[in-house]
Amino acid sequence: MKSLVQDAEKEGVDSEEPVSMPSPSASVSPDAPSVTITGRDANTLSTCRNRSKSRGKPAKEDKNICVKQYKDPALHSSLLGPKQNTQDNERTLLIRGTEKVLHGRSEPNGNYMNNPHLKNIQDHENGIKHPRKKKPVTVDSAKAKTSLEALKISIKHLKWKEFPMGRRAACDIYWHGVSFHDNENIVSGQVNKFPGMVEMLRKISMSRAMRTMQELFPEEYDFYPRSWILPEEYQQFTTQIRMVKESDATVNRTFIVKPDGGSQGDGIYLIRDPSDLKLVAGSQAKQGVVQEYIHKPLLIDKLKFDIRLYVLIKSLEPLEIYIAKEGLTRFCTEPYQEPSQKNLSHVFMHLTNYSLNVHSGNFVHSDSQSTGSKRSLSSVLYRLAAKGVDIKKVWSDIIALVIKTVIAVVPELKVYYQAEIPPGKPGPTCFQILGFDILLMKNLKPILLEVNSNPSMRIEHEQEVAPGVFEYVPSPVDEEVKVNVIRDTLRLMDPSRKKPPIALPKPGGEASEEISAEPESPVPSPEEALPSLCLKQVYPKYTKQFNHLRLVERIAALFIRFLGVKGNMRLGPTAFRTFIRTCKLSNSSFTMASVDILYIDITRRWAGAAADSREAGMGLQAFVEAFFSLAARKFKSLAQRQQVVALLELCELSVCEERRSVSCSRALSGGSRTLPHTAHLSPVPLRRAVSQDQRLHYRLKARTLRVNADN
Ligand code: ADP
């Protein structure tokens, strides 16, 4: 695959940020003076420091008037004392029709800088119109929990309005600390969580989604360690390990066992033999995954570390993904050794979790971003670059890992989304910041450990202030990274921001990549005083390289099409039969009775496997399995991926033929396209857009497919 970086350079996008990479030279070096405006006063331009620097010792008066120079002239004038107002150039202005006289000082060029009222009146007389002041964006922060501190700072930077106790009227943005459901009954605005994200990113669901992708695209998805789901795949796990050992007795692999839904390293342990698995807790089988342990990680200062990268899913349909250019790295606190029976239980050596290592005596809190047990990502990349590592390649591999992972979870998220906010029902739109945990192998290949739906946005860290007494103290590295991520997420979600032009699908071709990444703000806003966005758009920017991976999303679109009842997430037997009939998948050798058997077989197995099997029917992952099996039956001679593609095209076409509308085919196949998420259910507005050519194209394609089909 072509390097993403090469592509970005060729496209010439974002020329001021050439490789979409945390620039090691900018804001990285701990000693380099920071010239970016960040921190609590980011919306003010402090002139004092610069002035005194350039002039050497500041003059006495300078010290006295050394106030922050505000962009807002009203604020500016209120900060200047009366002394300045009575200096030269003082002017008075009589307001017509009133007895009022306004005083003010004009600049030599005639500008009434320190009295905005005078300026407005003069402008009015001169016929100059000012854009109407924007209403501040409102944010409900009542449920923000541990991200509250960083959120407050971000809102302040943006000069938006916070409602810390919630608000009776609707807010523009609702900031939730845990899940979509933190506030119930939101009918408008935007929520910072997607429904179903927590469930989707639990270790079992995530491993299943990744495995589906690994089946279809083994080479593209080799960044996720081989995993087995417990308890249901215990037998497969033991059999496979024993077989490997029998074939080569010197191989002694290590595995890491993780409880489903666990976090912060809780309940994680390493094993070298399947018999060491702890399968039950009390009388209950433990749900979790057992995963290949990456035993050769890249080390810095002899320590294992992982990367925490913040990723914004700005929207599901069209899919928009942003990556924060700056992240964190979390270091172990005991020098690393390859796993052996002796050191398996050394958590400070093998697990990079901050929450564990902070309790080690070796944990180093540091005010510098490039030392200590928690460092900025750019400082680590800078260090690697200094050693000759090709960090452009590393960064480009990380971007690819992120996009592929999001593509793997999007299908299920869409099912949750339509169930929670069915088309036609008023509801908010969603966005979400995810925390990607990535390990670099010794050979620099990035490996996905997990994705957190609720990454910690705390900007303080726990510190032992007296023996055994822990307190939260400010953490500069956390604040720098997390405030920027939250603030820039808000900037991107600003409802008054001009929407970028939607790239309409070209007939018969790939979706266009022309989405302007930086829409212009129609009116000057406080944002203008802010640094450039730390979030970098990677999708749809790199659509071309990844679009072919969005196959399961097309299967999910079919699934949703046949769900029928609003709010449903599972397919009943009748709906499954309707799917088979509509897509003309049954025949004399695959009767409707066999269809029912397939349905019962698969749903039964998945009902046993699902943690929450209260709801009857076939969920998306079970449907995907059924779909693969139907594809294998129908297109025996093809390789698995081609089988799936062929069946998809056949089904999409049948659905469209049934509706006498080819347009919905685009919607069904267009998980990858830029249509609203309800498009496949309401094809009418799209119908007009479909050309004669496309219809012909689909008819011909159908004929070819039928000829190729085995039965
Ligand atoms: P949790 O959600 O409990 O933090 P993770 O999956 O992130 O669970 O695992 C915890 C830690 O274990 C990681 O931060 C990493 O240091 C280590 N780890 C997890 N999976 C692997 C793996 N496959 N190989 C090597 N180390 C791993």
mmCIF file of all heavy atoms in Angstrom, residues 673-705:
data_model
loop_
_atom_site.group_PDB
_atom_site.id
_atom_site.type_symbol
_atom_site.label_atom_id
_atom_site.label_comp_id
_atom_site.label_asym_id
_atom_site.label_seq_id
_atom_site.Cartn_x
_atom_site.Cartn_y
_atom_site.Cartn_z
ATOM 1 N N ARG A 673 -20.294 5.871 1.205
ATOM 2 C CA ARG A 673 -20.629 7.100 0.496
ATOM 3 C C ARG A 673 -21.031 8.186 1.472
ATOM 4 O O ARG A 673 -21.098 7.988 2.664
ATOM 5 C CB ARG A 673 -21.774 6.836 -0.494
ATOM 6 C CG ARG A 673 -21.548 5.637 -1.366
ATOM 7 C CD ARG A 673 -20.367 5.879 -2.315
ATOM 8 N NE ARG A 673 -20.442 4.962 -3.419
ATOM 9 C CZ ARG A 673 -19.714 3.866 -3.512
ATOM 10 N NH1 ARG A 673 -18.878 3.539 -2.571
ATOM 11 N NH2 ARG A 673 -19.821 3.083 -4.559
ATOM 12 N N THR A 674 -21.349 9.319 0.892
ATOM 13 C CA THR A 674 -21.617 10.450 1.767
ATOM 14 C C THR A 674 -23.106 10.743 1.844
ATOM 15 O O THR A 674 -23.538 11.845 1.598
ATOM 16 C CB THR A 674 -20.878 11.675 1.234
ATOM 17 O OG1 THR A 674 -21.193 11.770 -0.144
ATOM 18 C CG2 THR A 674 -19.402 11.571 1.431
ATOM 19 N N LEU A 675 -23.874 9.732 2.168
ATOM 20 C CA LEU A 675 -25.310 9.927 2.254
ATOM 21 C C LEU A 675 -25.718 9.995 3.711
ATOM 22 O O LEU A 675 -25.057 9.430 4.563
ATOM 23 C CB LEU A 675 -26.022 8.731 1.600
ATOM 24 C CG LEU A 675 -25.665 8.503 0.139
ATOM 25 C CD1 LEU A 675 -26.277 7.211 -0.348
ATOM 26 C CD2 LEU A 675 -26.141 9.655 -0.707
ATOM 27 N N PRO A 676 -26.844 10.665 3.994
ATOM 28 C CA PRO A 676 -27.284 10.679 5.383
ATOM 29 C C PRO A 676 -27.598 9.258 5.847
ATOM 30 O O PRO A 676 -27.914 8.396 5.026
ATOM 31 C CB PRO A 676 -28.552 11.537 5.348
ATOM 32 C CG PRO A 676 -28.942 11.617 3.918
ATOM 33 C CD PRO A 676 -27.713 11.391 3.105
ATOM 34 N N HIS A 677 -27.505 9.014 7.156
ATOM 35 C CA HIS A 677 -27.601 7.639 7.630
ATOM 36 C C HIS A 677 -28.954 7.011 7.361
ATOM 37 O O HIS A 677 -29.117 5.821 7.432
ATOM 38 C CB HIS A 677 -27.233 7.544 9.115
ATOM 39 C CG HIS A 677 -28.322 7.967 10.043
ATOM 40 N ND1 HIS A 677 -28.590 9.289 10.269
ATOM 41 C CD2 HIS A 677 -29.201 7.249 10.763
ATOM 42 C CE1 HIS A 677 -29.595 9.353 11.130
ATOM 43 N NE2 HIS A 677 -29.976 8.138 11.437
ATOM 44 N N THR A 678 -29.942 7.814 7.089
ATOM 45 C CA THR A 678 -31.268 7.272 6.844
ATOM 46 C C THR A 678 -31.493 7.038 5.352
ATOM 47 O O THR A 678 -32.563 6.605 4.957
ATOM 48 C CB THR A 678 -32.332 8.265 7.327
ATOM 49 O OG1 THR A 678 -32.057 9.508 6.701
ATOM 50 C CG2 THR A 678 -32.289 8.432 8.822
ATOM 51 N N ALA A 679 -30.487 7.303 4.558
ATOM 52 C CA ALA A 679 -30.696 7.325 3.106
ATOM 53 C C ALA A 679 -31.276 6.030 2.567
ATOM 54 O O ALA A 679 -32.180 6.060 1.733
ATOM 55 C CB ALA A 679 -29.396 7.629 2.412
ATOM 56 N N HIS A 680 -30.779 4.907 3.071
ATOM 57 C CA HIS A 680 -31.247 3.661 2.487
ATOM 58 C C HIS A 680 -32.701 3.386 2.827
ATOM 59 O O HIS A 680 -33.336 2.533 2.241
ATOM 60 C CB HIS A 680 -30.369 2.503 2.948
ATOM 61 C CG HIS A 680 -30.332 2.370 4.427
ATOM 62 N ND1 HIS A 680 -29.548 3.179 5.201
ATOM 63 C CD2 HIS A 680 -30.987 1.542 5.245
ATOM 64 C CE1 HIS A 680 -29.711 2.832 6.460
ATOM 65 N NE2 HIS A 680 -30.574 1.851 6.509
ATOM 66 N N LEU A 681 -33.210 4.078 3.832
ATOM 67 C CA LEU A 681 -34.601 3.856 4.196
ATOM 68 C C LEU A 681 -35.518 4.865 3.506
ATOM 69 O O LEU A 681 -36.711 4.712 3.500
ATOM 70 C CB LEU A 681 -34.755 3.944 5.715
ATOM 71 C CG LEU A 681 -33.997 2.837 6.435
ATOM 72 C CD1 LEU A 681 -33.772 3.182 7.891
ATOM 73 C CD2 LEU A 681 -34.728 1.514 6.311
ATOM 74 N N SER A 682 -34.970 5.904 3.016
ATOM 75 C CA SER A 682 -35.797 6.897 2.326
ATOM 76 C C SER A 682 -35.114 7.298 1.025
ATOM 77 O O SER A 682 -34.497 8.349 0.936
ATOM 78 C CB SER A 682 -36.006 8.120 3.212
ATOM 79 O OG SER A 682 -34.752 8.587 3.641
ATOM 80 N N PRO A 683 -35.197 6.423 0.041
ATOM 81 C CA PRO A 683 -34.434 6.659 -1.177
ATOM 82 C C PRO A 683 -34.993 7.745 -2.096
ATOM 83 O O PRO A 683 -34.352 8.120 -3.057
ATOM 84 C CB PRO A 683 -34.479 5.307 -1.874
ATOM 85 C CG PRO A 683 -35.717 4.655 -1.383
ATOM 86 C CD PRO A 683 -35.986 5.194 -0.015
ATOM 87 N N VAL A 684 -36.171 8.266 -1.792
ATOM 88 C CA VAL A 684 -36.831 9.162 -2.745
ATOM 89 C C VAL A 684 -35.961 10.340 -3.202
ATOM 90 O O VAL A 684 -35.785 10.541 -4.394
ATOM 91 C CB VAL A 684 -38.183 9.655 -2.168
ATOM 92 C CG1 VAL A 684 -38.895 10.562 -3.156
ATOM 93 C CG2 VAL A 684 -39.036 8.445 -1.817
ATOM 94 N N PRO A 685 -35.371 11.088 -2.255
ATOM 95 C CA PRO A 685 -34.610 12.248 -2.726
ATOM 96 C C PRO A 685 -33.406 11.869 -3.576
ATOM 97 O O PRO A 685 -32.882 12.682 -4.317
ATOM 98 C CB PRO A 685 -34.130 12.927 -1.429
ATOM 99 C CG PRO A 685 -34.770 12.213 -0.312
ATOM 100 C CD PRO A 685 -35.300 10.933 -0.828
ATOM 101 N N LEU A 686 -32.979 10.626 -3.429
ATOM 102 C CA LEU A 686 -31.780 10.217 -4.150
ATOM 103 C C LEU A 686 -32.095 9.731 -5.553
ATOM 104 O O LEU A 686 -31.250 9.715 -6.429
ATOM 105 C CB LEU A 686 -31.093 9.070 -3.405
ATOM 106 C CG LEU A 686 -30.726 9.404 -1.966
ATOM 107 C CD1 LEU A 686 -30.342 8.147 -1.234
ATOM 108 C CD2 LEU A 686 -29.580 10.393 -1.971
ATOM 109 N N ARG A 687 -33.348 9.319 -5.713
ATOM 110 C CA ARG A 687 -33.723 8.672 -6.972
ATOM 111 C C ARG A 687 -33.337 9.497 -8.187
ATOM 112 O O ARG A 687 -32.831 9.026 -9.171
ATOM 113 C CB ARG A 687 -35.227 8.423 -6.955
ATOM 114 C CG ARG A 687 -35.608 7.172 -7.673
ATOM 115 C CD ARG A 687 -37.047 6.838 -7.408
ATOM 116 N NE ARG A 687 -37.236 6.194 -6.134
ATOM 117 C CZ ARG A 687 -38.387 6.209 -5.464
ATOM 118 N NH1 ARG A 687 -39.418 6.862 -5.922
ATOM 119 N NH2 ARG A 687 -38.497 5.570 -4.334
ATOM 120 N N ARG A 688 -33.592 10.807 -8.018
ATOM 121 C CA ARG A 688 -33.322 11.705 -9.134
ATOM 122 C C ARG A 688 -31.852 11.669 -9.555
ATOM 123 O O ARG A 688 -31.524 11.881 -10.703
ATOM 124 C CB ARG A 688 -33.716 13.126 -8.737
ATOM 125 C CG ARG A 688 -35.188 13.373 -8.947
ATOM 126 C CD ARG A 688 -35.577 14.717 -8.368
ATOM 127 N NE ARG A 688 -36.552 14.534 -7.314
ATOM 128 C CZ ARG A 688 -36.448 14.997 -6.096
ATOM 129 N NH1 ARG A 688 -35.403 15.685 -5.743
ATOM 130 N NH2 ARG A 688 -37.384 14.787 -5.214
ATOM 131 N N ALA A 689 -31.019 11.417 -8.578
ATOM 132 C CA ALA A 689 -29.574 11.513 -8.844
ATOM 133 C C ALA A 689 -29.022 10.343 -9.638
ATOM 134 O O ALA A 689 -27.897 10.355 -10.091
ATOM 135 C CB ALA A 689 -28.827 11.619 -7.524
ATOM 136 N N VAL A 690 -29.808 9.307 -9.812
ATOM 137 C CA VAL A 690 -29.258 8.116 -10.456
ATOM 138 C C VAL A 690 -29.432 8.176 -11.970
ATOM 139 O O VAL A 690 -30.502 8.419 -12.493
ATOM 140 C CB VAL A 690 -29.959 6.859 -9.902
ATOM 141 C CG1 VAL A 690 -29.421 5.617 -10.566
ATOM 142 C CG2 VAL A 690 -29.739 6.792 -8.419
ATOM 143 N N SER A 691 -28.346 7.964 -12.643
ATOM 144 C CA SER A 691 -28.396 8.117 -14.093
ATOM 145 C C SER A 691 -28.823 6.825 -14.783
ATOM 146 O O SER A 691 -28.762 5.739 -14.213
ATOM 147 C CB SER A 691 -27.012 8.515 -14.581
ATOM 148 O OG SER A 691 -26.156 7.415 -14.392
ATOM 149 N N GLN A 692 -29.220 6.963 -16.002
ATOM 150 C CA GLN A 692 -29.570 5.818 -16.838
ATOM 151 C C GLN A 692 -28.393 4.841 -16.914
ATOM 152 O O GLN A 692 -28.564 3.638 -16.841
ATOM 153 C CB GLN A 692 -29.880 6.313 -18.256
ATOM 154 C CG GLN A 692 -31.161 7.078 -18.372
ATOM 155 C CD GLN A 692 -32.356 6.137 -18.476
ATOM 156 O OE1 GLN A 692 -32.164 4.941 -18.651
ATOM 157 N NE2 GLN A 692 -33.551 6.669 -18.361
ATOM 158 N N ASP A 693 -27.218 5.425 -17.035
ATOM 159 C CA ASP A 693 -26.004 4.625 -17.156
ATOM 160 C C ASP A 693 -25.843 3.655 -16.005
ATOM 161 O O ASP A 693 -25.487 2.500 -16.186
ATOM 162 C CB ASP A 693 -24.767 5.549 -17.148
ATOM 163 C CG ASP A 693 -24.567 6.175 -18.498
ATOM 164 O OD1 ASP A 693 -25.358 5.842 -19.400
ATOM 165 O OD2 ASP A 693 -23.633 6.983 -18.635
ATOM 166 N N GLN A 694 -26.109 4.177 -14.808
ATOM 167 C CA GLN A 694 -25.935 3.338 -13.636
ATOM 168 C C GLN A 694 -26.897 2.162 -13.669
ATOM 169 O O GLN A 694 -26.544 1.047 -13.334
ATOM 170 C CB GLN A 694 -26.186 4.150 -12.389
ATOM 171 C CG GLN A 694 -24.933 4.834 -11.914
ATOM 172 C CD GLN A 694 -25.259 5.704 -10.738
ATOM 173 O OE1 GLN A 694 -25.859 6.753 -10.910
ATOM 174 N NE2 GLN A 694 -24.907 5.257 -9.562
ATOM 175 N N ARG A 695 -28.139 2.463 -14.067
ATOM 176 C CA ARG A 695 -29.131 1.383 -14.120
ATOM 177 C C ARG A 695 -28.662 0.282 -15.046
ATOM 178 O O ARG A 695 -28.701 -0.909 -14.712
ATOM 179 C CB ARG A 695 -30.468 1.920 -14.601
ATOM 180 C CG ARG A 695 -31.147 2.618 -13.469
ATOM 181 C CD ARG A 695 -32.517 3.067 -13.841
ATOM 182 N NE ARG A 695 -32.754 4.287 -13.074
ATOM 183 C CZ ARG A 695 -33.564 5.238 -13.421
ATOM 184 N NH1 ARG A 695 -34.234 5.151 -14.526
ATOM 185 N NH2 ARG A 695 -33.717 6.287 -12.660
ATOM 186 N N LEU A 696 -28.162 0.705 -16.161
ATOM 187 C CA LEU A 696 -27.681 -0.255 -17.142
ATOM 188 C C LEU A 696 -26.523 -1.063 -16.551
ATOM 189 O O LEU A 696 -26.475 -2.289 -16.635
ATOM 190 C CB LEU A 696 -27.211 0.509 -18.385
ATOM 191 C CG LEU A 696 -26.853 -0.341 -19.584
ATOM 192 C CD1 LEU A 696 -28.084 -1.088 -20.076
ATOM 193 C CD2 LEU A 696 -26.302 0.537 -20.709
ATOM 194 N N HIS A 697 -25.639 -0.315 -15.875
ATOM 195 C CA HIS A 697 -24.472 -0.929 -15.259
ATOM 196 C C HIS A 697 -24.899 -2.038 -14.298
ATOM 197 O O HIS A 697 -24.392 -3.138 -14.298
ATOM 198 C CB HIS A 697 -23.688 0.163 -14.535
ATOM 199 C CG HIS A 697 -22.661 -0.333 -13.579
ATOM 200 N ND1 HIS A 697 -21.431 -0.758 -13.995
ATOM 201 C CD2 HIS A 697 -22.690 -0.464 -12.226
ATOM 202 C CE1 HIS A 697 -20.739 -1.133 -12.940
ATOM 203 N NE2 HIS A 697 -21.478 -0.965 -11.850
ATOM 204 N N TYR A 698 -25.903 -1.728 -13.462
ATOM 205 C CA TYR A 698 -26.347 -2.724 -12.496
ATOM 206 C C TYR A 698 -27.026 -3.915 -13.158
ATOM 207 O O TYR A 698 -26.897 -5.045 -12.727
ATOM 208 C CB TYR A 698 -27.270 -2.077 -11.461
ATOM 209 C CG TYR A 698 -26.477 -1.358 -10.410
ATOM 210 C CD1 TYR A 698 -26.472 0.023 -10.338
ATOM 211 C CD2 TYR A 698 -25.684 -2.074 -9.506
ATOM 212 C CE1 TYR A 698 -25.721 0.692 -9.386
ATOM 213 C CE2 TYR A 698 -24.925 -1.423 -8.552
ATOM 214 C CZ TYR A 698 -24.951 -0.044 -8.498
ATOM 215 O OH TYR A 698 -24.208 0.607 -7.561
ATOM 216 N N ARG A 699 -27.774 -3.632 -14.225
ATOM 217 C CA ARG A 699 -28.459 -4.738 -14.900
ATOM 218 C C ARG A 699 -27.447 -5.708 -15.487
ATOM 219 O O ARG A 699 -27.546 -6.910 -15.334
ATOM 220 C CB ARG A 699 -29.386 -4.184 -15.978
ATOM 221 C CG ARG A 699 -30.833 -4.531 -15.648
ATOM 222 C CD ARG A 699 -31.755 -3.979 -16.692
ATOM 223 N NE ARG A 699 -32.345 -2.733 -16.248
ATOM 224 C CZ ARG A 699 -32.644 -1.716 -17.029
ATOM 225 N NH1 ARG A 699 -32.347 -1.762 -18.301
ATOM 226 N NH2 ARG A 699 -33.220 -0.652 -16.549
ATOM 227 N N LEU A 700 -26.426 -5.130 -16.094
ATOM 228 C CA LEU A 700 -25.403 -5.975 -16.715
ATOM 229 C C LEU A 700 -24.642 -6.760 -15.661
ATOM 230 O O LEU A 700 -24.358 -7.941 -15.803
ATOM 231 C CB LEU A 700 -24.427 -5.113 -17.525
ATOM 232 C CG LEU A 700 -25.018 -4.515 -18.798
ATOM 233 C CD1 LEU A 700 -24.022 -3.566 -19.438
ATOM 234 C CD2 LEU A 700 -25.395 -5.631 -19.780
ATOM 235 N N LYS A 701 -24.354 -6.063 -14.563
ATOM 236 C CA LYS A 701 -23.607 -6.692 -13.488
ATOM 237 C C LYS A 701 -24.386 -7.890 -12.944
ATOM 238 O O LYS A 701 -23.853 -8.959 -12.685
ATOM 239 C CB LYS A 701 -23.404 -5.675 -12.380
ATOM 240 C CG LYS A 701 -22.139 -5.881 -11.622
ATOM 241 C CD LYS A 701 -21.942 -4.687 -10.761
ATOM 242 C CE LYS A 701 -20.543 -4.596 -10.235
ATOM 243 N NZ LYS A 701 -20.394 -3.422 -9.414
ATOM 244 N N ALA A 702 -25.700 -7.697 -12.809
ATOM 245 C CA ALA A 702 -26.550 -8.761 -12.282
ATOM 246 C C ALA A 702 -26.496 -9.974 -13.188
ATOM 247 O O ALA A 702 -26.396 -11.118 -12.727
ATOM 248 C CB ALA A 702 -27.976 -8.264 -12.180
ATOM 249 N N ARG A 703 -26.528 -9.705 -14.474
ATOM 250 C CA ARG A 703 -26.512 -10.817 -15.420
ATOM 251 C C ARG A 703 -25.210 -11.617 -15.262
ATOM 252 O O ARG A 703 -25.216 -12.826 -15.165
ATOM 253 C CB ARG A 703 -26.645 -10.268 -16.842
ATOM 254 C CG ARG A 703 -27.550 -11.133 -17.675
ATOM 255 C CD ARG A 703 -27.874 -10.480 -19.004
ATOM 256 N NE ARG A 703 -28.834 -9.401 -18.907
ATOM 257 C CZ ARG A 703 -28.956 -8.455 -19.825
ATOM 258 N NH1 ARG A 703 -28.163 -8.420 -20.863
ATOM 259 N NH2 ARG A 703 -29.868 -7.520 -19.710
ATOM 260 N N THR A 704 -24.101 -10.866 -15.145
ATOM 261 C CA THR A 704 -22.806 -11.532 -14.998
ATOM 262 C C THR A 704 -22.775 -12.352 -13.719
ATOM 263 O O THR A 704 -22.298 -13.483 -13.684
ATOM 264 C CB THR A 704 -21.678 -10.472 -14.908
ATOM 265 O OG1 THR A 704 -22.056 -9.361 -15.660
ATOM 266 C CG2 THR A 704 -20.359 -11.024 -15.330
ATOM 267 N N LEU A 705 -23.310 -11.774 -12.667
ATOM 268 C CA LEU A 705 -23.285 -12.473 -11.387
ATOM 269 C C LEU A 705 -24.084 -13.762 -11.446
ATOM 270 O O LEU A 705 -23.676 -14.793 -10.931
ATOM 271 C CB LEU A 705 -23.867 -11.584 -10.286
ATOM 272 C CG LEU A 705 -22.917 -10.515 -9.749
ATOM 273 C CD1 LEU A 705 -23.662 -9.547 -8.860
ATOM 274 C CD2 LEU A 705 -21.799 -11.183 -8.954
#
